[in-house]
Amino acid sequence: MNLQQLSYLVALDTHRQFGLAAEKSFVSQPALSVQVQKLEEELGVLLFDRTQRKVEPTAIGAQVIAQARRVLREAQQLRELVEVAKGEVVGDLRLGVISTLAPYLVPRFLVGLSTAYPNLRVHIEELRSEEIMARLKDYRLDVGLLVTPLDDRLLHELPLLDEPFLLLASESHPLAARDAVRPADLSSPGLWLMQEGHCFRNQVLNLCGLTTSTGAIAYESGSIETLKELVRHHHGYTLVPELAMLDEVDTNPLLKRFVAPAPVREVSLVVHHSFVRTTLLTALRELILASVPERLRAGKSGEKIRWR
């Protein structure tokens, strides 16, 4: 048994196809298949069920794969400990970002990250919060960028931003005449929402004290951009995070702030508690903070209520 065989095992579990697993492992399909088979012979158990169209782990295979992921992570940490001691920011960074943050925050720091650390290979995926948490815990991601708190003892949260909620109203909606709004105003009909499963939807509903939209049209979007367009071209209103409207926040009369204490969502970098690449985490945090207005930084003065 060796680390290479374990890496093939994990790749096959991740991709569930021999061809794709081999491609991602930069090896031929026969070579990967032979090594997985040798590992099965050594352990004396069948790790994958190959009778289905999609390769699936057996019950014992799932347990072995989970342990293999831990072994590979521990081996990787040996290299990372040396990198930390040298103060280097190199290797791979696998970053998971929720979709309500990715288009508004990632472009602000990504170029700076690649410029400052040319030897760092960055892989970014847009995922839902629960997927990011699961992948952090089984070492398929290094860092998550998502809304906190998560209340998970296996994960460490490093708060970055207190991002305010803003209200965007159509010209014809009564809320468009307000200078500022309060959570109590959100009982007005015409609220457009994110789809179920998005944490931003839950935050909005909690803020409004609702369980679902009060609008006559049950259009629930997976995109903040779609919500913005619905408001601009139809009747109604929606809530948006400030980063999604940063270029308009001081000029758009249909964009309303909340009276103090303003509702905000806490945005954090999240890692597994065993994460040791502190130099990388510090560098990423500093680049992100430098890319946004200082008023958004977590812990800045001002009355705020954090919504989950």
Side-chain angles (χ1 to χ4, degrees), residues 243-279:
L243 285 172
M245 303 294 295
L246 211 51
D247 294 337
E248 303 178 47
V249 72
D250 296 320
T251 59
N252 188 341
L254 299 175
L255 198 60
K256 311 296 179 180
R257 287 195 179 274
F258 283 82
V259 297
V264 301
R265 62 174 185 172
E266 180 183 76
V267 177
S268 300
L269 289 172
V270 181
V271 296
H272 194 281
H273 263 299
S274 65
F275 190 83
V276 299
R277 301 168 73 185
T278 54
T279 304

Side-chain angles (χ1 to χ4, degrees), residues 76-296:
Q76 178 61 29
Q77 280 190 310
L78 293 176
R79 300 183 182 90
E80 292 171 355
L81 285 169
V82 174
E83 292 170 9
V84 170
K86 293 180 178 178
E88 296 177 342
V89 180
V90 297
D92 292 283
L93 169 61
R94 298 167 299 172
L95 178 64
V97 190
I98 56 173
S99 62
T100 57
L101 271 173
Y104 312 113
L105 189 54
V106 172
R108 292 182 168 274
F109 69 84
L110 187 57
V111 172
L113 182 64
S114 60
T115 301
Y117 306 103
N119 294 323
L120 183 68
R121 295 179 296 275
V122 183
H123 313 268
I124 299 177
E125 288 187 79
E126 285 190 30
L127 301 164
R128 295 196 176 185
S129 296
E130 60 271 17
E131 292 176 303
I132 294 175
M133 294 170 66
R135 293 191 187 198
L136 287 170
K137 287 189 279 189
D138 66 15
Y139 311 115
R140 286 184 287 163
L141 285 176
D142 300 306
V143 182
L145 189 54
L146 63 169
V147 172
T148 53
L150 303 173
D151 298 326
D152 193 306
R153 62 182 181 83
L154 292 178
L155 302 176
H156 173 68
E157 302 168 12
L158 182 63
L160 293 171
L161 312 174
D162 283 337
E163 184 185 15
F165 291 85
L166 304 176
L167 185 142
L168 180 66
S170 64
E171 290 183 348
S172 58
H173 197 278
L175 291 176
R178 303 286 183 88
D179 292 327
V181 293
R182 303 174 183 272
D185 297 327
L186 304 180
S187 59
S188 300
L191 173 63
W192 300 103
L193 285 171
M194 296 285 289
Q195 289 174 337
E196 288 189 17
H198 288 272
C199 62
F200 189 74
R201 172 195 172 95
N202 297 333
Q203 292 152 15
V204 170
L205 288 175
N206 289 339
L207 177 58
C208 299
L210 301 173
T211 57
T212 187
S213 173
T214 57
I217 302 175
Y219 189 110
E220 296 180 354
S221 171
S223 162
I224 288 176
E225 291 304 306
T226 302
L227 295 179
K228 289 160 60 176
E229 290 304 309
L230 285 168
V231 170
R232 284 169 176 152
H233 295 285
H234 301 275
H235 185 75
Y237 66 99
T238 192
L239 266 65
V240 292
E242 183 165 335
L243 285 172
M245 303 294 295
L246 211 51
D247 294 337
E248 303 178 47
V249 72
D250 296 320
T251 59
N252 188 341
L254 299 175
L255 198 60
K256 311 296 179 180
R257 287 195 179 274
F258 283 82
V259 297
V264 301
R265 62 174 185 172
E266 180 183 76
V267 177
S268 300
L269 289 172
V270 181
V271 296
H272 194 281
H273 263 299
S274 65
F275 190 83
V276 299
R277 301 168 73 185
T278 54
T279 304
L280 169 60
L281 199 60
T282 299
L284 184 58
R285 178 178 182 273
E286 290 176 352
L287 280 166
I288 292 173
L289 291 179
S291 72
V292 300
E294 189 174 353
R295 67 177 182 274
L296 299 183

Side-chain angles (χ1 to χ4, degrees), residues 11-30:
L12 187 54
D13 176 59
T14 299
H15 302 291
R16 304 296 172 94
Q17 295 178 12
F18 277 94
L20 185 56
E23 178 185 337
K24 297 296 183 180
S25 301
F26 304 101
V27 67
S28 69
Q29 181 173 330

